[in-house]
Amino acid sequence: MSHGARVIRTGVSSGGPAVPPPVTVASSSAGSDAELMDGGYFRSCAGMLKVAQMISLLIGFISVNNSSWTDYSAYSFFQIVTMCDLVMILFFYIMHIFRVYRKLTCVSWPLAEFLHYLIGTILLLIGSIVAAAKSYNITGLVAGATFGFLATILCVISMWSSYKVSCITQSTSKYH
């Protein structure tokens, strides 16, 4: 039973050596794999959101650290949570700038970042509520709690935007 001739197309011609495909040059804002840093991430919405989170966490930490407080457990918890969140956001910021996620593919980076934001935001919200409740109208403590709430809102926005983007990416790639 003959099904007819089939043509299989490949990139290599049988008549001679293969010609490499033309090389396209990527723009500097998008970045290429050869570049060490992703310059476009500095100016992206996600990058600026991470910087705003780090600044608000740092101001909240410094405000509480330089104030006189009596409730050691509440404000030490607030300080630990703000510094841990700051370090983790800085870690993910550096990871995006230097494109570490492309080299370490064994980790689901969007999931790791989402879980960090989920857990960190809940702890930061708890710490900010406790700090605000125990501030006793001391200016530095009120400012620290306020910047803690601001960082919480920024973390929720970042978590929501990363989840929204990943859901849209999954749903469009499923049908194509």
Side-chain angles (χ1 to χ4, degrees), residues 125-147:
L125 180 63
I126 292 169
S128 297
I129 290 171
V130 171
K134 305 236 180 195
S135 67
Y136 305 113
N137 291 330
I138 298 172
T139 310
L141 301 179
V142 172
T146 304
F147 279 102

Side-chain angles (χ1 to χ4, degrees), residues 106-119:
C106 60
V107 177
S108 174
W109 291 108
L111 179 63
E113 193 168 3
F114 178 75
L115 289 176
H116 157 258
Y117 276 119
L118 181 67
I119 295 167

Side-chain angles (χ1 to χ4, degrees), residues 20-176:
V23 177
T24 58
V25 179
S27 65
S28 62
S29 65
S32 65
D33 288 337
E35 292 178 9
L36 180 62
M37 292 176 55
D38 186 8
Y41 191 73
F42 291 117
R43 295 176 299 279
S44 71
C45 183
M48 288 189 278
L49 194 58
K50 279 188 182 20
V51 170
Q53 291 166 2
M54 289 187 286
I55 290 171
S56 63
L57 286 168
L58 186 62
I59 291 172
F61 174 80
I62 291 172
S63 297
V64 167
N65 194 41
N66 291 336
S67 297
S68 60
W69 33 282
T70 57
D71 195 349
Y72 181 76
S73 62
Y75 287 104
S76 61
F77 176 76
F78 181 80
Q79 288 179 322
I80 289 169
V81 168
T82 54
M83 278 297 104
C84 287
D85 271 356
L86 179 74
V87 167
M88 288 304 296
I89 291 169
L90 180 65
F91 170 76
F92 283 114
Y93 187 71
I94 290 171
M95 183 199 66
H96 282 289
I97 288 175
F98 291 108
R99 299 183 183 139
V100 176
Y101 60 91
R102 290 185 182 176
K103 294 171 183 65
L104 295 174
T105 57
C106 60
V107 177
S108 174
W109 291 108
L111 179 63
E113 193 168 3
F114 178 75
L115 289 176
H116 157 258
Y117 276 119
L118 181 67
I119 295 167
T121 302
I122 291 170
L123 291 176
L124 189 59
L125 180 63
I126 292 169
S128 297
I129 290 171
V130 171
K134 305 236 180 195
S135 67
Y136 305 113
N137 291 330
I138 298 172
T139 310
L141 301 179
V142 172
T146 304
F147 279 102
F149 283 121
L150 176 66
T152 302
I153 292 168
L154 292 172
C155 287
V156 167
I157 291 170
S158 184
M159 185 173 51
W160 179 77
S161 66
S162 68
Y163 179 71
K164 184 181 83 168
V165 168
S166 67
C167 284
I168 290 171
T169 304
Q170 288 176 356
S171 65
T172 57
S173 64
K174 183 179 176 182
Y175 298 109
H176 291 286

